Amino acid sequence: MTAAHRRNPMLKLRDIMTKDVLTLAPDVSVREAAEIFSTERLGGAPIVVHGHIVGMLSASDLLDFIASLPEEQAEIRQGSERGILDAHVVEEAMTRGPIRSLGPDDPVTLAAEVMKNDRLHRLPIVEAGKLVGIISTVDLVRAVADKLIGHQTFIFP
């Protein structure tokens, strides 16, 4: 980040967004999604088909979905490596569109406002209809810690 960006009160999402976004396909099993979230320490991910977002999956979505499933019978579980979580896919658990997104040239303050008002922890960043990044509460906190967002910028009124 250049010194000019540090002084720029209109910091843009492209300056702090995560560009290398881990995405999931709708046909990924619920078990695999849970393992990916755990391994990668993710709280959520966009669900993408051909570069277009078709949904969002959060850890809360996964937990709610798993909690709604009937319990596996012990004899079924012992007889097979595949469990009930392998029989269901992300598409069943994800939050469907329209998915709230912003553009890379939108100000960071707008993302903070949208996230606060809509009670979101992450927002996909879309340009020309394609996913180009994601902004999360972690990205906002990192920007504050790195002093990219100064004390005179009020992102959380």
Side-chain angles (χ1 to χ4, degrees):
M1 198 65 41
T2 66
H5 279 117
R6 292 182 193 278
R7 291 189 303 267
N8 184 354
M10 286 302 290
L11 190 67
K12 299 198 182 309
L13 290 174
R14 76 171 62 252
D15 299 323
I16 68 166
M17 71 184 188
T18 299
K19 294 176 181 121
D20 186 21
V21 182
L22 189 145
T23 63
L24 299 173
D27 61 350
V28 168
S29 76
V30 168
R31 177 179 310 284
E32 187 178 355
E35 289 172 356
I36 289 169
F37 281 13
S38 175
T39 302
E40 299 295 326
R41 296 183 172 259
L42 291 176
I47 310 306
V48 175
V49 175
H50 304 299
H52 297 282
I53 300 170
V54 296
M56 291 290 286
L57 183 69
S58 70
S60 296
D61 292 333
L62 271 179
L63 290 174
D64 289 345
F65 182 78
I66 291 167
S68 75
L69 295 174
E71 282 192 43
E72 287 183 274
Q73 296 174 351
E75 54 277 5
I76 293 172
R77 203 174 32 232
Q78 291 172 357
S80 169
E81 286 275 323
R82 280 182 50 93
I84 196 165
L85 299 183
D86 295 303
H88 293 277
V89 294
V90 162
E91 186 172 32
E92 298 173 70
M94 71 184 190
T95 299
R96 297 177 185 283
I99 301 299
R100 183 74 154 108
S101 65
L102 295 174
D105 291 320
D106 285 330
V108 170
T109 52
L110 176 60
E113 183 178 322
V114 167
M115 292 167 78
K116 181 186 84 140
N117 291 341
D118 294 355
R119 305 181 93 200
L120 300 172
H121 294 280
R122 69 200 53 78
L123 277 171
I125 308 303
V126 175
E127 189 170 43
K130 298 277 187 170
L131 180 69
V132 295
I134 196 161
I135 187 80
S136 70
T137 51
V138 171
D139 295 314
L140 291 173
V141 169
R142 187 177 300 120
V144 170
D146 290 346
K147 297 184 172 70
L148 298 176
I149 299 173
H151 68 280
Q152 294 178 352
T153 303
F154 298 103
I155 60 171
F156 296 105

